[in-house]
């Protein structure tokens, strides 16, 4: 890293030279974790569409914008707090703060400002319940997960998964002003999807997490233990995904989608479990199965919610 960019001290704190490099719009967007935002916005919009309430096009657009802003704000605060570990992990070292393109205090102000703006707009455009859940989701990710769970327990992803599971509830609350069983089940789907999704990633990024001192499951409990946990959680996820069918909250289209995708995810987990490995569970095949499982998990959540929405539209036509 050049002298005109950020330097990392012995304590991991990032120091900026007076002649720091200029930032670009791309850096500020990257600070919001746009890839995470896309999935958050999609699940939030799904909750809104599934809800029986009605929002005008303008109100719906503002609500989606608020979910987008809130997710980005939480991501910015996360990057501000994690600037020390991002600076030592290969997959994060080029982020805007460790890369020296955005000063840490500006990143924090950016995140806090967007957080406040998103909650206030949501309250004005929809209702207090939606704004309240939105505010709590930001707090949960930025404080409970980032500042506490992530560095203190190998269960960080399990408990912290709630942070990314709130959007369907927010979307539903924005449209109706109250809560119901279906958005809570949608929350549960995302919640139980998160561990096998991130644990697959952590299997092949284990050295990075270990170097940064993050107690991810494979770092603390080992790869073999992680593989079994991925398998168990995919089975639980399959069961949770079928609750809407059991409660007659959806039709055959969603049920078929959930079964096919769920069994596909279980198959990926079995391959992760049975991949050639040494006595410690470390892959002898370059973690190919874990990489496939991680990519499949992304498609899984998107397609499952697409199936839910398609089923909802079909039921509307039939009914």
């Amino acid at each position: 890293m050049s002298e005109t960019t950020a330097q990392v001290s012995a304590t991991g704190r990032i120091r900026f030279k007076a002649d720091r490099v200029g930032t670009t719009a791309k850096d500020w967007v990257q600070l919001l974790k746009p890839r995470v935002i896309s999935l958050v916005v999609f699940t939030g919009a799904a909750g809104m569409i599934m809800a029986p309430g009605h929002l005008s096009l303008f109100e719906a657009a503002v609500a989606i914008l608020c979910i987008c802003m809130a997710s980005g704000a939480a991501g910015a605060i996360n990057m501000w707090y994690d600037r020390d570990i991002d600076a030592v992990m290969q997959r994060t070292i080029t982020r805007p703060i460790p890369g020296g393109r955005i000063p840490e205090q500006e990143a924090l102000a950016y995140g806090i400002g967007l957080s406040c703006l998103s909650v206030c707009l949501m309250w004005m455009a929809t209702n207090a319940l939606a704004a309240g859940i939105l505010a709590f989701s930001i707090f949960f990710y930025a404080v409970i997960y980032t500042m506490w769970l992530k560095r203190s327990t190998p269960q960080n992803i399990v408990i912290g998964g709630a942070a990314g599971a709130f959007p369907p509830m927010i979307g539903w609350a924005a449209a109706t002003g109250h809560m119901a069983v279906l958005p809570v089940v949608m929350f549960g789907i995302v919640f139980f999807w998160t561990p096998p999704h991130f644990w697959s990633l952590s299997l092949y990024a284990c050295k990075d997490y270990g170097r940064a001192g993050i107690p991810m499951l494979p770092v603390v409990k080992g790869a073999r233990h992680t593989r079994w946990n991925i398998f168990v959680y995919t089975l639980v996820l399959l069961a949770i995904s079928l609750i809407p069918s059991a409660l007659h909250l959806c039709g055959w289209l969603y049920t078929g989608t959930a079964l096919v995708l769920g069994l596909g995810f279980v198959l990926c987990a079995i391959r992760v479990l049975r991949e050639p490995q040494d006595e410690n569970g470390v892959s002898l095949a370059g973690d190919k199965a874990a990489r496939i499982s991680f990519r499949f998990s992304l498609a899984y959540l998107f397609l499952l919610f697409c199936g839910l929405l398609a089923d909802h539209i079909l039921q509307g036509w039939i009914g």
Side-chain angles (χ1 to χ4, degrees):
M1 197 177 292
S2 68
E3 289 189 354
T4 58
T5 60
Q7 294 181 342
V8 182
S9 68
T11 61
R13 181 178 176 82
I14 298 174
R15 297 181 289 107
F16 281 81
K17 294 287 188 179
D19 58 339
R20 67 177 176 84
V21 295
T23 58
T24 65
K26 181 180 179 181
D27 295 322
W28 291 102
V29 171
Q30 187 181 355
L31 201 64
L32 303 178
K33 296 190 174 182
R35 286 186 296 180
V36 175
I37 287 178
S38 60
L39 200 55
V40 166
V41 167
F42 176 67
T43 57
M48 191 180 301
I49 295 170
M50 294 295 297
H54 175 74
L55 289 175
S56 68
L57 183 60
F58 175 76
E59 290 170 333
V62 173
I64 292 298
L65 174 63
C66 289
I67 294 173
C68 178
M69 290 169 57
S71 175
I77 296 173
N78 171 271
M79 283 202 190
W80 164 78
Y81 191 80
D82 282 349
R83 60 195 183 277
D84 57 337
I85 59 178
D86 282 350
V88 298
M89 294 178 66
Q90 289 300 314
R91 70 184 189 87
T92 58
I93 197 170
T94 59
R95 284 177 172 177
I97 300 178
R101 301 186 301 279
I102 294 180
E104 55 195 60
Q105 296 306 318
E106 291 185 18
L108 176 60
Y110 183 51
I112 293 175
L114 281 178
S115 297
C116 296
L117 181 59
S118 66
V119 174
C120 290
L121 277 178
M122 181 67 85
W123 196 342
M124 290 187 292
T126 61
N127 55 72
L129 178 60
I133 301 174
L134 186 70
F136 184 72
S137 69
I138 298 171
F139 173 79
F140 197 99
Y141 184 75
V143 178
I144 297 178
Y145 169 69
T146 299
M147 300 181 187
W148 175 33
L149 295 172
K150 185 173 183 178
R151 306 189 190 210
S152 63
T153 172
Q155 295 299 309
N156 48 18
I157 290 301
V158 178
I159 307 170
F166 284 114
M169 297 175 66
I170 297 169
W172 185 285
T176 65
H178 59 78
M179 198 45 56
V181 173
L182 183 56
V184 174
V185 174
M186 294 168 75
F187 169 95
I189 289 171
V190 181
F191 181 84
F192 283 97
W193 164 86
T194 303
H197 167 70
F198 276 104
W199 282 335
S200 296
L201 168 65
S202 69
L203 278 174
Y204 59 86
C206 183
K207 291 182 179 179
D208 239 7
Y209 285 119
R211 184 165 49 248
I214 302 174
M216 292 294 286
L217 196 62
V219 176
V220 177
K221 297 291 187 177
R224 190 181 304 279
H225 182 83
T226 304
R227 294 176 191 279
W228 275 104
N229 273 266
I230 289 173
F231 176 66
V232 170
Y233 268 84
T234 54
L235 290 179
V236 174
L237 176 62
L238 174 59
I240 296 294
S241 70
L242 293 174
I243 289 178
S245 303
L247 296 180
H248 305 291
L249 298 174
C250 62
W252 62 267
L253 180 57
Y254 170 77
T255 302
T257 302
L259 278 172
V260 171
L261 290 173
L263 292 174
F265 205 171
V266 170
L267 178 60
C268 287
I270 292 173
R271 288 179 174 176
V272 170
L273 191 61
R274 301 185 62 183
E275 186 173 40
Q277 54 198 270
D278 63 19
E279 64 276 6
N280 297 315
V282 177
S283 174
L284 299 176
D287 284 306
K288 181 179 179 181
R291 296 174 190 273
I292 292 174
S293 180
F294 177 76
R295 289 193 293 269
F296 182 86
S297 68
L298 291 170
Y300 168 88
L301 193 63
F302 174 75
L303 293 175
L304 184 71
F305 274 72
C306 281
L308 190 62
L309 291 172
D311 186 271
H312 176 72
I313 293 171
L314 180 62
Q315 294 300 317
W317 286 344
I318 295 175

